[in-house]
Amino acid sequence: MKDPYSVLDVSRNASKEDIKKAYKKLAMKYHPDKGGDEIKFKEITNAYNELTSDKPTMQNNMPFGFDNADIFSHMFGGGYRDMGSGFFNMGGGNRRQQEAKNKVKTVKKNITITMFEAFNGTTKTVNITSTDPCTDCVTVCPECNGSCVKIVHTKQQIGPACIIQTQHVPCTSCVNGKRKQTRSSCSKCNLTGTINTDKNIVINIEPGSQSNKVYTFSNILPNTILNFIISIEKMSNYTIENNNLIYIHKISFVDSIFGCEFDIDHPCGKRVYVDTKSEDKIIIDKQPMIFRGKGMTKNNNLQIYFQIQYPNKLNRDVSKQALNDARDTLKHFFT
């Protein structure tokens, strides 16, 4: 047998920690799953066992609380190939079972509310139909934990190394992951194995909620995340931009000059009075009147934009002289 110190390329006074580091480095290099040499891998494993175990045994020949399976599980992510033709995974099959069992799906549903509800806040109750296993006649198969596949482990001792071979075999104790039916009838599910249950979800929508706000529930249906997406139904002439209210109002050309008074419905449920006569300037397009604190929240504003309706033609029933007189009169109003 080769000198174990030479195999691991360490000095004869090397500490256990140095030996462990040298072994790990070589094992990473020669591990079969990494494209290494199987013979060399067994050689360095034997050398490591000889230097670190005073009395190697068939069951436990790794120091520091690790056995053969543990150290490779830590080093190579839980699995490696055996020295023959089989493949084993240190817990990989169980991990795949758990991942399949815990696979979570996301369900999206839209909730439409009015601007009044968005401004003041509201409560919505949504009905969801949950499909659940019938607890009277169907249970998850205990043999495969619902995966339909059983994992069989066999151990093989090669020198000081313990090789564990894993086989995935079909589970014969279940149907689609459920324990085989032993009853001839079921009053709850009629032997379908599932029961549809109606569940009511109460969603508290706070004041000032905007479109596309998402309310998430993860504890209503098993392995399901429910996302309720808010959509706001706009009032006539309104749009919402970051909780600022934009209102479009049509006025005549004459009212744009001399001013006008009107009121509009506000999402709060009240009406807002608007007086353009108090302005010292002519109303023109794209210059809004701003009402601070009148948006969807007290921190946002209401902006009223005017669409001026210009006349298309003159009234031919009015004399040119009267029009000229009106024009001369209007000149005194403008600076």
Side-chain angles (χ1 to χ4, degrees):
M1 181 176 178
K2 292 184 179 181
D3 178 19
Y5 292 99
S6 298
V7 173
L8 295 178
D9 193 22
V10 295
S11 64
R12 294 189 175 276
N13 59 353
S15 65
K16 286 189 176 182
E17 187 63 30
D18 291 336
I19 293 172
K20 180 179 178 182
K21 289 180 180 179
Y23 170 71
K24 184 175 181 180
K25 180 179 179 181
L26 292 171
M28 291 289 289
K29 179 179 180 180
Y30 292 105
H31 192 282
D33 273 359
K34 305 295 182 180
D37 188 319
E38 292 182 358
I39 297 176
K40 183 67 175 179
F41 180 73
K42 287 198 293 183
E43 185 178 86
I44 62 176
T45 300
N46 291 337
Y48 176 77
N49 290 335
E50 182 178 346
L51 294 179
T52 55
S53 293
D54 294 333
K55 295 181 179 180
T57 67
M58 301 295 284
Q59 300 299 324
N60 184 9
N61 52 22
M62 288 292 181
F64 314 118
F66 289 94
D67 62 15
N68 291 76
D70 286 333
I71 192 165
F72 292 114
S73 177
H74 282 276
M75 289 172 57
F76 302 106
Y80 64 95
R81 184 161 47 92
D82 71 9
M83 304 309 173
S85 58
F87 175 87
F88 76 88
N89 190 315
M90 305 300 294
N94 291 332
R95 184 168 60 251
R96 285 193 292 270
Q97 286 185 8
Q98 193 64 28
E99 288 173 353
K101 180 181 178 181
N102 295 333
K103 188 176 182 180
V104 176
K105 65 179 180 179
T106 300
V107 176
K108 298 181 179 180
K109 292 185 176 294
N110 292 321
I111 297 179
T112 301
I113 62 176
T114 65
M115 286 183 67
F116 177 82
E117 291 173 324
F119 182 92
N120 295 283
T122 187
T123 299
K124 293 291 183 179
T125 301
V126 181
N127 181 268
I128 295 292
T129 300
S130 172
T131 302
D132 303 313
C134 176
T135 56
D136 275 16
C137 64
V138 177
T139 58
V140 174
C141 176
E143 295 290 330
C144 66
N145 200 25
S147 68
C148 301
V149 176
K150 289 196 298 186
I151 300 175
V152 179
H153 298 284
T154 56
K155 291 185 178 181
Q156 181 181 5
Q157 197 74 32
I158 300 180
C162 179
I163 305 302
I164 302 176
Q165 185 176 6
T166 298
Q167 291 180 312
H168 296 75
V169 299
C171 179
T172 58
S173 303
C174 69
V175 177
N176 295 327
K178 306 297 182 183
R179 188 196 299 269
K180 283 187 176 180
Q181 186 59 255
T182 58
R183 301 176 57 172
S184 59
S185 64
C186 179
S187 59
K188 282 190 175 182
C189 69
N190 197 26
L191 293 182
T192 61
T194 58
I195 300 175
N196 291 330
T197 305
D198 289 332
K199 298 181 179 180
N200 291 325
I201 303 173
V202 178
I203 304 173
N204 294 314
I205 302 173
E206 64 269 19
S209 291
Q210 301 185 50
S211 286
N212 298 320
K213 180 178 177 62
V214 180
Y215 290 86
T216 300
F217 296 83
S218 58
N219 58 349
I220 305 299
L221 304 181
N223 296 328
T224 302
I225 295 176
L226 296 174
N227 286 334
F228 295 96
I229 305 171
I230 299 300
S231 175
I232 300 176
E233 188 177 48
K234 305 294 194 312
M235 294 170 60
S236 177
N237 298 330
Y238 273 107
T239 57
I240 305 175
E241 294 182 3
N242 295 323
N243 268 345
N244 291 310
L245 288 173
I246 311 297
Y247 186 86
I248 306 299
H249 184 75
K250 295 180 180 181
I251 60 173
S252 69
F253 172 65
V254 174
D255 286 341
S256 71
I257 297 174
F258 294 102
C260 60
E261 300 175 62
F262 59 93
D263 54 12
I264 61 175
D265 290 321
H266 191 274
C268 69
K270 299 179 181 180
R271 297 182 69 81
V272 175
Y273 173 72
V274 182
D275 180 10
T276 67
K277 293 179 180 179
S278 61
E279 297 290 317
D280 294 331
K281 56 186 178 181
I282 297 174
I283 299 299
I284 61 176
D285 286 333
K286 299 180 180 180
Q287 287 189 359
M289 288 184 67
I290 298 177
F291 295 78
R292 300 194 179 280
K294 293 291 185 180
M296 291 297 287
T297 73
K298 64 181 180 180
N299 297 319
N300 302 104
N301 303 324
L302 165 64
Q303 303 175 19
I304 299 180
Y305 285 84
F306 296 93
Q307 286 185 349
I308 301 174
Q309 308 298 299
Y310 293 97
N312 295 322
K313 60 183 179 179
L314 294 173
N315 187 349
R316 296 301 179 183
D317 295 334
V318 178
S319 66
K320 290 185 178 181
Q321 183 60 45
L323 290 174
N324 287 330
D325 291 342
R327 182 185 62 183
D328 293 337
T329 301
L330 287 172
K331 288 181 179 180
H332 297 290
F333 290 93
F334 305 105
T335 59

